[in-house]
Amino acid sequence: MELVSERSRHEAGGKGAKEGKRSESSGDDENLPEQENIVAQEPPMTNIERSSVDAGPNASSPKKEEVDELEKTKVEMGGVMEENERLKMRLNRILNEYRTLQMQFNNIVEQETKNSSDKLNNIIEESDELVSLSLGRLPSNPIAKVSNKQTLKEEEEHEKEGLALGLDCKFETSKSGSTTEHLPATNNPSPTNSSELVPKEEAGETWPPSKTTNKAAIRSVAAEDEVISQQNPAKKARVCVRARCDTPTLNDGCQWRKYGQKISKGNPCPRAYYRCTVATSCPVRKQVQRCAQDMSILITTYEGTHNHPLPLSATAMASTTSAAASMLLSGSSTSSSHPGLTTIPSTYTTTTASAGLQYGMNFSLSDASINKSKQFYHLSHPSLSSSANSHPTITLDLTSNPPSSSSSPFARFTSDYNNPSRYPSSTTSLNFSSSESNNAVSWSNGMNGFLSYSAAPQQPYNNRNNILSTININPVRQQPMENNNILSTININPVRQQPMENNNIYSSYMQRNNSNIPIQSQQQSLPDSTIAAATKAITADPSFQSALAAALTSIIGTKSTTATTTQGNHHQQGSTSVGENLGQKMKWGELFSSSSALPAASTASKVSSGCASSFLNKAPSAATTQTGSLMCLQQPLPFPGPKSASASPGDNRDTTN
DNA sequence: CGCTTTTGACCCGCGC
DNA sequence: GCGCGGGTCAAAAGCG
């Protein structure tokens, strides 16, 4: 009772602040629906029709003009047809690639089956690090090794399982509601999956976990919490973001209120506790602490799910963290049949550097290197951890220039079921390298027992064109391919002139989304239907959308408003049909609202304390040179109703304090 | 005046 | 059971 009253008091305060800020902000994001503009300027058809109509009644008008008109129209039509042809070719390539990958996968699976035991032994002999990595927290004692061997077998199985998931598209959508719940468990209170179970106010309310008295009442409420509790009865997943930041907190776009500060053991820097004040009863909290080893690194740990619409400027981080959390959770769930062991395909992790493209990524497993190098990411399940039963934590490492890395401002993705600060040795880390100069995906093996694993692709990517270049999702790394923009793959970016090849997300996602369709029929499907399926896939899966959004926003960071706007127009024009179909949960106008969110945050004069720009804007120079990839997907699908659009620079004012 | 931050106290879980 | 440490509370202080 005490707690409740106290909280409501805080919430009341937060609400006031929120509303004040919102009123400030409302104007900024209304430029989102660029789609409408596009529609207005779009159709060549109108020209055609107009010309024909004009020609009819005005038969007496100079025929020359008519001819010119017709010629013009023909030219335009020709362009459209060309574009169409290009698209068809692209789709054909995608399909071919898919088939190739499928064949590779089948071969791999067969080989795996045959060689699994031998492989196991080899792996164990080759790399103790890997073993310790796989288990993360197991110390390097003989006993641990024995158990590690067992675990590795399980991992093998998981690996196969994962591959099967990936390529056979065995999506668990029908499994006891698991998929939707895995998904942005964090911020996607999908109306279908949870709302009836939970009074809204209580949704997601698991804080404070320590208050057992309240916990009993609270815990039963949120569906997401149910999911979590299934996998992790006591603790919610956490997403830890490491970023270089010289400001006190990370500017993630949300409004936070500090409610406590503590000196934690092993770190001279105090840990600050914040709770989200954007909405009443928002259960999200974060902890902010400087890294003891490197004071310039700010470690921000998010926990919980926003139960309210977020300012656009906050969606990037929210999406990222929620997707990461869902990735973590879904990873955990994957291992439900093998308690204590979680496997996440490294491609998955790699591609989800910016969060939860997990499903699409799960289908990117045809990468032969996966099988060669055991690119699976193993997490120990917290419930099995005798130590501290800490929160499952996934760490998104946005610190640029790790000492050992030549580049990579981007992602190191660390998944960790222990509190890093508390149990550093148990932390496992997936290190992403940026596209700038190094495409290697490496499992960094740091001092803390991070495991190091290099899965560097063998071929150079043409990443300059790819907004997601740092999130390489190439299903076939051995094949040279141009790493095309995810969105251009679905032809949202017709502006780009050079041919592009990358089908990564698209194809993988297609695989996933058509999981219910027999593969053969997929293969036989026409390109047009493939496009439709892709569209459907994107529209149908909020997690993918949010993942896209998060990925893009995280990577793009800031971009000039005008540039993005115009780009958005181009996209719109080129992808009208796609855009039309995409609007189920996310309007393209919102999707491509790029400029209003992070850029707003970074450009707003009010951004004072946060350092969002320091990491979210870390778009490599490549990003600034990109011509067609500048849109940010912003809409936080997770939140009920697409009405958000209330974020503005003003929202950034005190977002971090 | 209202909201946020500070900070010591308190609660709770865990390990010994 | 006790101590430790993380996390939270809540009164007081600070701030705009």
Side-chain angles (χ1 to χ4, degrees), chain A residues 486-487 489-492 505-506 509-510 512-513 531-546 548 578 581-586 588 591 633 637:
Chain A
I486 234 179
L487 294 174
T489 305
I490 55 178
N491 196 26
I492 293 170
I505 293 178
Y506 176 80
Y509 194 77
M510 284 294 297
R512 163 211 188 287
N513 205 272
I531 286 181
T535 301
K536 186 182 175 185
I538 294 171
T539 56
D541 193 330
S543 73
F544 186 65
Q545 295 169 10
S546 63
L548 273 176
V578 177
N581 295 330
L582 277 172
Q584 292 181 358
K585 289 193 175 183
M586 178 171 14
W588 279 110
L591 274 175
L633 306 181
L637 309 152

Side-chain angles (χ1 to χ4, degrees), chain A residues 134 155 158 327-336 338-344 376-382 417:
Chain A
S134 300
E155 291 172 5
H158 277 286
M327 171 186 128
L328 182 63
L329 293 175
S330 64
S332 300
S333 68
T334 310
S335 65
S336 58
H338 304 270
L341 179 66
T342 299
T343 65
I344 299 173
F376 279 78
Y377 192 40
H378 304 282
L379 306 172
S380 299
H381 196 284
Y417 274 103

Side-chain angles (χ1 to χ4, degrees), chain A residues 135-456:
Chain A
L135 289 178
R137 69 194 59 206
L138 291 179
S140 59
N141 58 51
I143 298 174
K145 264 194 175 177
V146 172
S147 60
N148 282 346
K149 285 186 179 181
Q150 293 175 343
T151 311
L152 268 174
K153 282 187 179 178
E154 292 179 354
E155 291 172 5
E156 282 290 310
E157 293 174 4
H158 277 286
E159 179 177 344
K160 292 173 197 167
E161 197 175 302
L163 288 168
L165 279 171
L167 290 180
D168 288 345
C169 302
K170 289 180 183 174
F171 252 93
E172 297 182 334
T173 43
S174 59
K175 265 193 193 174
S176 66
S178 55
T179 301
T180 50
E181 289 171 350
H182 295 166
L183 275 187
T186 32
N187 22 354
N188 191 5
S190 148
T192 59
N193 73 357
S194 63
S195 56
E196 66 270 15
L197 298 176
V198 189
K200 249 207 166 133
E201 293 179 14
E202 295 176 344
E205 187 67 69
T206 55
W207 293 73
S210 59
K211 297 280 184 183
T212 49
T213 52
N214 295 323
K215 202 167 33 175
I218 288 170
R219 219 165 52 177
S220 60
V221 292
E224 65 193 39
D225 289 341
E226 287 180 3
V227 178
I228 292 166
S229 64
Q230 289 170 4
Q231 299 152 359
N232 184 21
K235 305 282 184 172
K236 269 183 129 174
R238 287 180 175 176
V239 177
C240 180
V241 177
R242 290 164 49 90
R244 291 194 185 278
C245 181
D246 45 6
T247 55
T249 62
L250 218 56
N251 185 359
D252 48 23
C254 258
Q255 298 162 16
W256 303 95
R257 179 167 173 254
K258 191 176 184 179
Y259 67 90
Q261 179 169 312
K262 264 269 180 168
I263 297 289
S264 57
K265 191 183 177 186
N267 191 338
C269 305
R271 175 182 299 162
Y273 300 89
Y274 296 86
R275 63 164 57 101
C276 177
T277 60
V278 172
T280 64
S281 78
C282 179
V284 175
R285 300 191 182 186
K286 75 171 179 181
Q287 300 172 5
V288 177
Q289 187 173 33
R290 293 255 163 221
C291 178
Q293 284 80 24
D294 184 350
M295 305 286 267
S296 66
I297 295 175
L298 197 68
I299 302 171
T300 306
T301 304
Y302 295 88
E303 183 173 342
T305 303
H306 293 284
N307 58 3
H308 53 82
L310 280 179
L312 282 179
S313 55
T315 58
M317 181 59 79
S319 298
T320 301
T321 55
S322 69
S326 63
M327 171 186 128
L328 182 63
L329 293 175
S330 64
S332 300
S333 68
T334 310
S335 65
S336 58
S337 60
H338 304 270
L341 179 66
T342 299
T343 65
I344 299 173
S346 66
T347 46
Y348 167 115
T349 334
T350 304
T351 50
T352 44
S354 66
L357 295 173
Q358 62 217 49
Y359 291 103
M361 299 338 156
N362 276 342
F363 293 89
S364 305
L365 292 178
S366 52
D367 184 345
S369 65
I370 289 172
N371 299 284
K372 289 179 183 174
S373 44
K374 304 285 293 179
Q375 285 186 339
F376 279 78
Y377 192 40
H378 304 282
L379 306 172
S380 299
H381 196 284
S383 63
L384 291 191
S385 169
S386 59
S387 67
N389 186 26
S390 60
H391 298 256
T393 302
I394 187 162
T395 298
L396 180 57
D397 193 338
L398 298 167
T399 58
S400 59
N401 305 322
S404 60
S405 173
S406 58
S407 65
S408 84
F410 276 96
R412 264 175 304 169
F413 227 18
T414 301
S415 186
D416 171 21
Y417 274 103
N418 279 332
N419 186 327
S421 62
R422 253 190 274 185
Y423 310 104
S425 64
S426 65
T427 302
T428 56
S429 167
L430 176 57
N431 189 358
F432 291 80
S433 299
S434 94
S435 58
E436 289 261 286
S437 60
N438 179 5
N439 285 306
V441 173
S442 64
W443 301 72
S444 67
N445 191 351
M447 296 175 289
N448 295 337
F450 283 30
L451 79 104
S452 179
Y453 173 73
S454 174

